[in-house]
Amino acid sequence: MIKRWQLASFDRQLALELAQEIGISPLLAALLCARGCTTSQDIHDTLDDGALADPFLMKDMDKAVQRLQQAMDERERVVIYGDYDADGVTSTAMLYTFLADKGMPVSFYIPQRLGEGYGLNKAALDTLSREGTDLIITVDNGVSAVEEIAYANSLGMDVVVTDHHQPQETLPQAVAVVDPHRADDESPYKDLCGAGVTLKLLMALTDGWSQFYRVAPYCDLAAVGTVGDSVPLTGENRRIVLRGLQQMTVMSRPGLSEILELGRGERPDSAKLAFTAVPCINATGRMGSPDRAVRLLTHQYNEQAQILARELKADNARRKEVERDIFQAAAEKVEASPALRYARVIVVEGEDWHLGVVGIVAAKLVERFGKPCFVLSSLEDGTCRGSGRSVEGFDMFQAVHGCRELLVRYGGHPMAAGLTVKQEDLDLLREKLNDTARELYPVMPVPTLELDCALKPGAVTAKTIQELQPLEPCGMGNPQPLFAIMGATLRGVQPLGSNHAHCRLLCEVDGSPLECVYFRMSPRDFPYRPGTVLDLAVNTQLNSYPRGKGFDFLIRDVKPSALDVEAVIAGEALYEKHRRAEPLSEEELESLTPSREQFGQLYRLLSKPGPWPVSEPLALLAQLGDCGMDCGKLLVGLDVLEERGLIFREGATWQVLPHPQKVDLNASPCIPGQGRREGESHEIWTQTE
């Protein structure tokens, strides 16, 4: 799948001046300039690790503190109502620990993902009322629960809402609604997650907003929630995560240390949180009972924490297995059905696919196919339910909203949505979604890779990489630096790992050797041959190998050098239009049909020793050279040769079936506009010379 590379531009002279003025490395200054920091004050604000703003600037924070103080004074029964994801779980654990340490009779309630869904529900409120609850405090939810909070009030329970989601036009009738996205909220930073809002509440309760250390014991959990909710790691979020990572070195929270597998004094980074702690916490909500994650994060005894950590890790391992199986089944369905594969929006369903992982599978399908994808599970009640993920630039919620008359329920935002549809309406939904997509986006957006700057690999040392550390923690809104290395000649590919699941690319740039690690790419699947000139998108990573150079280049994407990416994107889009049987103009028909000579060149290339991966046509384009065959013609050419029985798919590669006679390619139904056009014969010799 081709990605559009977007290389940032910046003023090189300005970057050098800022580097000297502030005392940072030229590369770090260049990165910051490329990300919009054009003054020393911009850079200071970006890298600042100071205090958070006064929590009482948040609307209703004073009311929330007053009501909680009353509950403390009168020893009322308080329930924290959380959510089953990492943000909701850490928010719950933070507030529960804080109030329990005050000696309050406090408990928590986490709804089940599959049985109850997100947020407050009346059945849960009935249960809490029967248990004698006086005050409910929501964390990471509640701002849209107008009806449910009115019901809680009717049962004699007060509600304090702390949330970070966008409110509706009407706010719930709660004692307090603390949410930075309220229209009347005047706090300076709006991108807090639920755990960030909860941390602000704790600061207000301790009157310690000007002294960050008073809430330092809770910053580790706030950091996990912040990374887990994929909010921008800028401003206050960045400061929260920095403080949280520092707090983790103390190892005061046995459960968190267990799932992170930390040694004494070891300091993790944001990537460790994102790929170790967050998946384990989320897995409990996806695969079982999410309250175990709260208990893990609030346990003070190592033995119990170890037991719960093993349970969470087992849940995560099971989640990975289920996710892998569903992804494989979904991808095979898409590949086997042209109607799915070439749709503008892919909607794939399966019987009883686990609803806890369909969103993750949808995200992986987007990565595979480069277009919006929905993954739905057919349920016994006659409905299909599931989640979708999008590509940047395609508003998934808008597309779903355009199909609302077919849906039982739906919700979401531009990059993700969930829906339920009756099984008998599923085909209509596919049709309507794609019609809506065509109306909204005549030219569909494609995935874009944002690169910071081009890099001369010979000038990079471990010290250079170390000088980029002030950018940490990296994540959403502050990504790990991504560099372009242009014009690297491939010299060889070496296997890495015990099962050769990864590889090392041996390249040459400007006469100097270059090695890059390509994770999750086996040498067998790497499509380019030695001698091909490539452009590489890479991250850098420090290492401690005894005989290494102190750092690695890690491959994120590869494309043939000097490739006309826009022409490839246009050719692929036109090919898919043809495969959807949409009307084509005579000019479009002509631009999709290879000439006799181009068919011959393609067949002769495929006759050479491979491998020629089916899913990587760019490797074939790179070998075909300047023969006038673009991506659209190449894909049509492969279809025709396959239909005529001259090539076939063996696993993931193309194989050739030689024929000692002429084959009339023009008779293939895969020729665009077959039956409408007259022109040259596409009869070619297929025996190899």
Side-chain angles (χ1 to χ4, degrees):
M1 179 198 64
I2 185 68
K3 292 185 175 74
R4 178 180 282 121
W5 288 21
Q6 189 71 47
L7 188 61
S9 60
F10 62 94
D11 186 326
R12 297 180 182 277
Q13 183 59 39
L14 175 62
L16 289 173
E17 292 171 0
L18 287 171
Q20 293 177 344
E21 178 183 348
I22 302 170
I24 58 177
S25 74
L27 181 57
L28 177 56
L31 282 170
L32 290 166
C33 280
R35 296 183 181 189
C37 296
T38 57
T39 68
S40 58
Q41 187 61 49
D42 289 341
I43 293 177
H44 173 77
D45 291 343
T46 298
L47 303 181
D48 180 33
D49 61 354
L52 305 186
D54 181 355
F56 287 102
L57 293 175
M58 300 183 76
K59 187 69 175 179
D60 277 7
M61 183 64 82
D62 55 342
K63 296 178 182 178
V65 169
Q66 183 179 0
R67 184 62 185 87
L68 267 167
Q69 192 61 57
Q70 176 188 329
M72 292 180 196
D73 294 340
E74 299 179 8
R75 297 192 56 78
E76 293 179 305
R77 180 173 175 78
V78 176
V79 173
I80 303 161
Y81 197 106
D83 186 28
Y84 39 71
D85 68 0
D87 188 17
V89 164
T90 53
S91 299
T92 303
M94 290 164 62
L95 188 53
Y96 174 82
T97 303
F98 178 87
L99 295 179
D101 288 346
K102 300 290 184 183
M104 289 189 65
V106 61
S107 60
F108 60 85
Y109 188 94
I110 307 289
Q112 299 289 319
R113 176 189 288 267
L114 301 185
E116 297 175 88
Y118 170 79
L120 293 164
N121 66 82
K122 291 182 179 179
L125 293 173
D126 285 335
T127 299
L128 298 180
S129 178
R130 286 194 298 269
E131 293 174 351
T133 301
D134 299 301
L135 174 63
I136 296 172
I137 310 170
T138 72
V139 291
D140 193 30
N141 72 97
V143 76
S144 298
V146 175
E147 183 179 340
E148 290 80 6
I149 289 176
Y151 184 68
N153 293 338
S154 74
L155 296 175
M157 296 182 291
D158 284 345
V159 181
V160 167
V161 172
T162 70
D163 201 351
H164 72 112
H165 295 98
Q166 291 287 344
Q168 298 177 359
E169 291 182 7
T170 302
L171 292 176
Q173 293 299 306
V175 174
V177 179
V178 181
D179 187 320
H181 293 292
R182 284 183 58 162
D184 54 355
D185 183 271
E186 297 181 357
S187 58
Y189 190 74
K190 304 298 183 183
D191 289 328
L192 296 168
C193 66
V197 175
T198 303
L199 185 68
K200 285 294 194 87
L201 175 62
L202 301 190
M203 293 171 70
L205 286 167
T206 59
D207 196 24
W209 62 268
S210 62
Q211 298 173 328
F212 210 166
Y213 74 90
R214 292 193 182 182
V215 292
Y218 307 96
C219 286
D220 53 356
L221 295 179
V224 175
T226 299
V227 171
D229 213 52
S230 297
V231 290
L233 290 191
T234 59
E236 294 194 7
N237 285 337
R238 180 177 185 275
R239 297 166 205 165
I240 288 171
V241 174
L242 277 171
R243 296 300 177 98
L245 294 172
Q246 293 170 2
Q247 180 64 23
M248 288 174 202
T249 63
V250 179
M251 296 181 65
S252 60
R253 205 172 301 278
L256 185 57
S257 298
E258 282 293 330
I259 58 174
L260 285 172
E261 300 177 353
L262 294 182
R264 175 64 63 179
E266 182 181 350
R267 181 176 177 178
D269 56 20
S270 55
K272 181 86 167 178
L273 302 189
F275 297 109
T276 304
V278 170
C280 279
I281 294 171
N282 282 337
T284 61
R286 297 183 187 280
M287 310 304 295
S289 174
D291 67 300
R292 289 171 302 156
V294 180
R295 289 191 282 118
L296 171 78
L297 297 177
T298 54
H299 258 311
Q300 294 301 313
Y301 301 101
N302 287 326
E303 188 173 340
Q304 288 118 328
Q306 289 171 357
I307 294 171
L308 282 168
R310 284 195 293 269
E311 287 186 19
L312 264 66
K313 290 178 181 178
D315 277 351
N316 196 37
R318 187 160 61 93
R319 186 269 305 170
K320 289 180 180 178
E321 183 178 346
V322 171
E323 174 192 315
R324 182 174 59 250
D325 292 344
I326 294 176
F327 172 74
Q328 182 176 346
E332 288 175 356
K333 279 195 171 191
V334 174
E335 294 283 9
S337 169
L340 291 178
R341 175 66 184 87
Y342 301 112
R344 291 170 180 265
V345 179
I346 294 173
V347 182
V348 60
E349 92 290 345
E351 187 174 349
D352 290 327
W353 283 349
H354 198 296
L355 290 171
V357 302
V358 290
I360 306 174
V361 172
K364 290 193 169 186
L365 291 177
V366 172
E367 183 66 25
R368 165 78 72 91
F369 297 110
K371 57 181 66 178
C373 294
F374 280 92
V375 178
L376 307 180
S377 178
S378 298
L379 305 177
E380 290 182 356
D381 64 1
T383 66
C384 294
R385 178 180 162 197
S387 297
R389 298 294 184 270
S390 192
V391 298
E392 196 70 44
F394 184 95
D395 190 327
M396 178 162 274
F397 179 77
Q398 186 183 20
V400 171
H401 183 69
C403 307
R404 58 192 178 279
E405 71 277 3
L406 292 173
L407 302 175
V408 177
R409 62 179 62 89
Y410 70 98
H413 53 80
M415 292 301 293
L419 61 83
T420 301
V421 61
K422 293 179 181 177
Q423 289 180 11
E424 60 262 31
D425 291 334
L426 181 58
D427 289 338
L428 282 174
L429 175 64
R430 281 197 183 97
E431 183 180 345
K432 179 68 172 175
L433 263 176
N434 278 278
D435 287 345
T436 302
R438 184 173 62 251
E439 293 169 6
L440 294 173
Y441 303 95
V443 178
M444 288 288 288
V446 298
T448 299
L449 206 59
E450 303 283 350
L451 295 104
D452 289 291
C453 62
L455 203 62
K456 294 293 185 184
V460 179
T461 65
K463 182 175 182 293
T464 311
I465 306 306
Q466 185 67 45
E467 288 171 340
L468 299 179
Q469 288 300 107
L471 281 173
E472 292 288 344
C474 292
M476 183 68 67
N478 180 41
Q480 188 178 4
L482 184 61
F483 302 105
I485 297 177
M486 315 299 280
T489 303
L490 182 67
R491 297 304 184 197
V493 182
Q494 294 180 342
L496 283 179
S498 57
N499 57 356
H500 294 179
H502 320 291
C503 69
R504 186 188 307 276
L505 304 187
L506 307 179
C507 301
E508 184 179 306
V509 179
D510 297 330
S512 299
L514 168 69
E515 294 185 7
C516 300
V517 176
Y518 204 163
F519 287 119
R520 294 179 296 280
M521 174 62 72
S522 69
R524 180 186 65 254
D525 294 332
F526 188 71
Y528 298 102
R529 296 184 167 200
T532 306
V533 182
L534 301 171
D535 293 339
L536 313 173
V538 301
N539 297 129
T540 57
Q541 176 179 280
L542 293 168
N543 66 48
S544 55
Y545 305 146
R547 290 180 292 179
K549 58 181 179 294
F551 71 96
D552 290 311
F553 290 113
L554 307 181
I555 297 286
R556 283 277 306 279
D557 196 24
V558 176
K559 66 180 180 67
S561 192
L563 179 74
D564 187 342
V565 173
E566 295 306 318
V568 170
I569 291 171
E572 187 174 38
L574 184 58
Y575 169 77
E576 293 203 349
K577 183 179 179 181
H578 152 63
R579 292 303 302 266
R580 291 192 296 266
E582 295 177 9
L584 298 174
S585 68
E586 288 299 322
E587 183 181 355
E588 289 174 328
L589 288 170
E590 186 67 30
S591 67
L592 273 176
T593 307
S595 67
R596 175 182 174 180
E597 290 74 18
Q598 289 168 341
F599 270 121
Q601 285 178 291
L602 176 58
Y603 182 78
R604 286 191 292 273
L605 175 61
L606 292 171
S607 299
K608 295 179 180 179
W612 301 111
V614 170
S615 62
E616 285 293 343
L618 295 186
L620 289 169
L621 278 180
Q623 293 296 318
L624 284 167
D626 188 19
C627 71
M629 181 174 276
D630 63 11
C631 187
K633 286 184 177 180
L634 171 64
L635 294 171
V636 168
L638 292 170
D639 286 345
V640 172
L641 294 178
E642 183 180 24
E643 188 276 329
R644 295 281 88 182
L646 301 177
I647 62 174
F648 67 99
R649 302 170 192 238
E650 185 175 272
T653 61
W654 291 112
Q655 301 296 327
V656 168
L657 287 170
H659 287 252
Q661 72 279 332
K662 287 184 177 181
V663 176
D664 184 8
L665 303 183
N666 207 41
S668 171
C670 296
I671 294 286
Q674 177 73 335
R676 290 176 48 195
R677 310 173 66 241
E678 295 181 1
E680 66 170 309
S681 168
H682 289 89
E683 193 175 57
I684 64 169
W685 284 100
T686 58
Q687 61 187 119
T688 55
E689 296 179 0

